[in-house]
Amino acid sequence: MAKLSVYENVIAQFNNAADLMNLDPEIRRILACTTNEIIVHFPVKMDDGHIQIFTGYRVQHNNVLGPYKGGLRFHPSVDIDEVRALATWMTWKSAIAGIPYGGAKGGIQIDPRQYSRSELERITRRFTFALGSNIGPEYDIPAPDVNTNSQIMAWILDTYLSMMPPLERNRCVHVVTGKPIESGGSLGRDKATGQGVVFVLELWAKDHNFDLSHATYMVQGFGNVGSWTARLLKPYGATLLAVEDHTGAIVNPAGIDADALTEYVQAHGGLSGYPGGTPVDHRTFMSVEADIFVPAALENQITAETASWLNVKLVVEGANGPTNIEGDKVLQERGIGLLPDVLCNAGGVIVSYFEWLQNKRSEFWDLEEVDAKLHKLMISAYRHVYEAVHKFNTDWRTAAYVVALNRLEKVYRERGIFP
Ligand code: GLU
């Protein structure tokens, strides 16, 4: 069988759930395609004076539940197929989380490490300018994703506001989320995705009488999601045995300190050279014997081949799309449990929603309030998916899709199709 693209994988996951729940065939056709696909090419002046042309994307999958919402990533792998897939996952994710958003995603096909800070600023600003009114605070709201952060969001905000008439600027601060706190960001947004992953894992552990304090785990990717998940798991007493990122992999049977590793990675740009672990190759990393594997990097990491290497009981997807369809099958055959991305990593977009609400109301919530509200929504999302697992006697990914598709199907039934 030919290898499926990332988007074809999403459609295969979607078809599994749509078949199981008997999704209305017309609504199925609507949800199987994206709504708008924007591709922009834009010139930017580099530090040495020459001009380089960049390609940026924004795909808006669906907005029937609310404004388009989703991150922007800066990565060489960004292309139309990947962005379509990521936009579609955002639609399911917001529906599962029960927040009033649709799904979108975007990015620029670059390796940001090749550019200076001032070049990245000009690239970001020119991309925002090129997107123009394709984004907007009540229309399509970007956020951080792979290789983008609060600083990039601040540049997007500033550029967007500069394009508005002066009278309207202050009511548009919610055009982007994941901003720095001083520029209208929310407390708790930085750790939100990792926090959500930990909340889901805690709920699963309670339901399965699983003792997290004696658990061992491994993490792939030590950016925002991977590092926060590991740091937030520390108080539970779980032992981090192995970590892999774009610079290599390390193992340490005595445990890796998540805070110390986070500091090292922030200072060195990757874990390579970190003294608290033994370097190993990719296959050795993937074969480490542990209770839990948290993939928190890119798509397509757990395939038929690598799923057969894993020696874990449970996969908790922090990344979007880390497991492809064949990988899923092998995990199921081998009895390895899986908690899917669209449930586990919803904490990020949930706290983005809180940031958006605070901006709209000119409010500022304290961290306890943000965390308590996030916890409540994660519990509710988890329970809905759990119920679908049992009602349909299916796997957690398909069950999560059923929850999302049920919500979307209801809204399409109520509203009908224009004209
Ligand atoms: N990029 C994150 C995700 O994939 C967050 C999106 C958002 O906050 O809008 O869920």
Side-chain angles (χ1 to χ4, degrees):
M1 194 170 80
K3 218 175 140 2
L4 296 183
S5 74
V6 187
Y7 185 60
E8 285 167 343
N9 251 292
V10 181
I11 296 301
Q13 296 171 346
F14 169 74
N15 285 335
N16 284 344
D19 288 344
L20 184 68
M21 68 182 282
N22 251 320
L23 180 68
D24 180 299
E26 301 199 312
I27 296 169
R28 182 173 178 146
R29 289 215 310 276
I30 296 171
L31 291 173
C33 58
T34 59
T35 305
N36 301 309
E37 302 187 341
I38 300 129
I39 303 181
V40 291
H41 304 288
F42 53 96
V44 179
K45 199 178 274 177
M46 298 291 101
D47 289 345
D48 66 3
H50 88 279
I51 303 285
Q52 198 176 321
I53 309 291
F54 294 88
T55 302
Y57 302 85
R58 187 72 179 171
V59 170
Q60 296 161 338
H61 172 255
N62 188 280
N63 67 347
V64 79
L65 295 180
Y68 299 113
K69 184 84 189 83
L72 292 173
R73 73 169 53 173
F74 289 0
H75 196 273
S77 75
V78 169
D79 63 15
I80 192 67
D81 182 85
E82 187 192 55
V83 179
R84 269 181 197 141
L86 292 161
T88 309
W89 279 316
M90 287 308 302
T91 302
W92 316 147
K93 200 184 296 183
S94 295
I96 293 162
I99 57 176
Y101 284 143
K105 199 74 155 214
I108 309 177
Q109 196 183 76
I110 49 165
D111 176 2
R113 291 176 192 89
Q114 312 275 316
Y115 298 92
S116 71
R117 180 184 159 95
S118 64
E119 285 171 337
L120 278 179
E121 175 175 353
R122 288 195 297 281
I123 294 166
T124 303
R125 287 184 182 276
R126 189 63 201 238
F127 178 45
T128 310
F129 179 76
L131 287 176
S133 56
N134 289 300
I135 59 169
E138 306 290 333
Y139 179 63
D140 183 355
I141 305 124
D145 197 76
V146 175
N147 290 338
T148 56
N149 55 23
S150 60
Q151 175 60 73
I152 305 238
M153 300 307 117
W155 290 328
I156 295 174
L157 172 71
D158 189 69
T159 308
Y160 185 84
L161 295 188
S162 303
M163 299 190 304
M164 302 291 297
L167 265 178
E168 295 185 23
R169 286 184 192 152
N170 272 328
R171 61 166 190 81
C172 291
V173 177
H174 53 306
V175 64
V176 58
T177 59
K179 300 180 288 288
I181 306 295
E182 309 74 28
S183 295
S186 176
L187 290 173
R189 176 62 185 85
D190 196 34
K191 68 168 177 135
T193 310
Q195 184 67 76
V197 170
V198 171
F199 283 152
V200 169
L201 183 54
E202 193 185 22
L203 289 162
W204 180 90
K206 253 187 220 143
D207 279 341
H208 293 81
N209 270 331
F210 179 86
D211 179 9
L212 275 177
S213 71
H214 289 101
T216 55
Y217 70 105
M218 50 200 271
V219 174
Q220 184 191 46
F222 219 68
N224 174 283
V225 182
S227 64
W228 273 114
T229 301
R231 289 169 71 186
L232 293 165
L233 270 175
K234 214 169 129 176
Y236 290 80
T239 306
L240 176 57
L241 291 183
V243 181
E244 180 179 57
D245 75 0
H246 59 102
T247 65
I250 51 169
V251 299
N252 186 344
I256 297 166
D257 184 80
D259 291 304
L261 182 60
T262 302
E263 247 173 62
Y264 184 89
V265 168
Q266 274 163 7
H268 297 85
L271 60 69
S272 169
Y274 180 69
T278 310
V280 291
D281 62 21
H282 178 57
R283 183 167 180 159
T284 309
F285 167 79
M286 292 294 278
S287 314
V288 165
E289 197 180 328
D291 296 314
I292 301 156
F293 177 35
V294 183
L298 296 171
E299 303 89 52
N300 272 335
Q301 296 304 304
I302 305 178
T303 59
E305 185 185 20
T306 61
S308 70
W309 300 343
L310 289 177
N311 269 308
V312 296
K313 301 188 182 104
L314 179 71
V315 172
V316 180
E317 293 185 328
N320 290 308
T323 312
N324 72 13
I325 281 282
E326 291 93 35
D328 260 332
K329 255 185 233 140
V330 174
L331 292 181
Q332 279 164 29
E333 281 160 17
R334 297 191 55 213
I336 298 175
L338 180 139
L339 299 172
D341 47 8
V342 286
L343 169 66
C344 294
N345 72 28
V349 71
I350 290 175
V351 178
S352 275
Y353 169 55
F354 297 158
E355 178 176 332
W356 188 74
L357 281 182
Q358 289 171 74
N359 293 160
K360 275 162 78 97
R361 302 173 181 173
S362 300
E363 285 180 3
F364 193 72
W365 304 351
D366 59 30
L367 186 59
E368 289 70 39
E369 184 170 358
V370 171
D371 280 349
K373 288 189 154 114
L374 170 63
H375 196 205
K376 205 170 157 190
L377 286 192
M378 291 302 304
I379 292 174
S380 156
Y382 175 90
R383 289 284 159 230
H384 280 109
V385 176
Y386 181 92
E387 278 159 25
V389 166
H390 294 283
K391 182 170 167 201
F392 289 90
N393 190 22
T394 188
D395 62 279
W396 282 69
R397 188 187 313 284
T398 308
Y401 268 63
V402 167
V403 171
L405 298 180
N406 255 320
R407 289 216 166 118
L408 289 154
E409 184 180 42
K410 247 185 222 145
V411 175
Y412 271 108
R413 286 230 166 96
E414 286 161 10
R415 288 176 49 169
I417 299 296
F418 171 84

